[in-house]
Structure formats: structure tokens, C-alpha cells
Amino acid sequence: QVQLVESGGGLVQAGGSLRLSCAVSGTIGDINTMAWFRQAPGKQREWVASLTDDGSTNYADSVKGRFTISRDNAKNTVNLQMISLKPEDTAVYYCYVYANIRNYWGQGTQVTVSS
């Protein structure tokens, strides 16, 4: 059974940094896309960043220049390095993987940025 488990969330002051990790386990096959989404209270889930199998990365305008998505193939993890955090970055962050025409989601990790 495929599992995505996020870690690294927490409480940080504005301007601070956090690094999220998502460990992928189970037989998932060839991964096409790994990504991070987030959902703030009262808002819809939104895409934050993605990394495709050719190494291409893309970022939402709101995080461009502050967030970096990366993949560790040896550990089968996808990471999100976040710097210069803002209160509006507060949300539950979800790991997402698209592999073999299937969508996989993690359970989410809370990130809270205080002003």
C-alpha cells in the first residue's frame, strides 16, 4: 500500500524558515510528478510547487523565490524548503504524487507563521 507521510511542519515567526519532507513508501511505480499543495482555514486547497520526472520545477507566484521543491531519489522523498515565511503562508501543507495515472496524497502537516 502506498503511503505519503509529511513531516517538518510547525510554528515559526515571520521571516523564518521551515523544511517539509514527504516520505513515499510502498510500490508506487514510476513517479511522474511530485508536488506540494496547501490549504488555509476557510480556503480551497491550492497548488504550491511541483517537480516533474524530467526535473522541471514550477512554483505558484505567491511562493516563487522563497520556496524550493526538491527530490531525494535515494530516500524517495520530496522536500519543500521554505524561507522568508509570511503569516499568509499559514496552512496545512499536503504532499502529492502522480504515478501510473493515480493520485496520491499525504495526510498533511500544519505550518503556522506568526506575525
Side-chain angles (χ1 to χ4, degrees), residues 25-74:
S25 63
T27 304
I28 197 170
D30 294 329
I31 294 174
N32 177 265
T33 300
M34 306 181 90
W36 288 91
F37 288 72
R38 67 186 182 186
Q39 187 167 17
K43 295 187 177 181
Q44 289 189 330
R45 189 172 299 188
E46 64 174 1
W47 166 74
V48 173
S50 57
L51 172 62
T52 56
D53 55 359
D54 64 357
S56 299
T57 58
N58 287 284
Y59 299 91
D61 287 343
S62 59
V63 306
K64 202 170 293 184
R66 300 187 298 120
F67 290 12
T68 303
I69 188 171
S70 63
R71 178 177 179 178
D72 186 333
N73 289 324

Side-chain angles (χ1 to χ4, degrees), residues 2 4 42 63 69 92 96:
V2 174
L4 277 61
V63 306
I69 188 171
V92 177
Y96 165 84

Side-chain angles (χ1 to χ4, degrees), residues 76-103:
N76 216 19
T77 61
V78 57
N79 306 303
L80 187 68
Q81 179 68 49
M82 307 183 293
I83 66 171
S84 302
L85 283 162
K86 305 175 181 180
E88 50 263 44
D89 294 318
T90 295
V92 177
Y93 283 71
Y94 296 91
C95 175
Y96 165 84
V97 170
Y98 178 71
N100 289 339
I101 68 171
R102 291 187 176 183
N103 300 302

Side-chain angles (χ1 to χ4, degrees), residues 8-11 18 20 39-41 89-93 108-113:
L11 173 64
L18 281 175
L20 305 183
Q39 187 167 17
D89 294 318
T90 295
V92 177
Y93 283 71
T109 185
Q110 176 70 47
V111 171
T112 303
V113 184

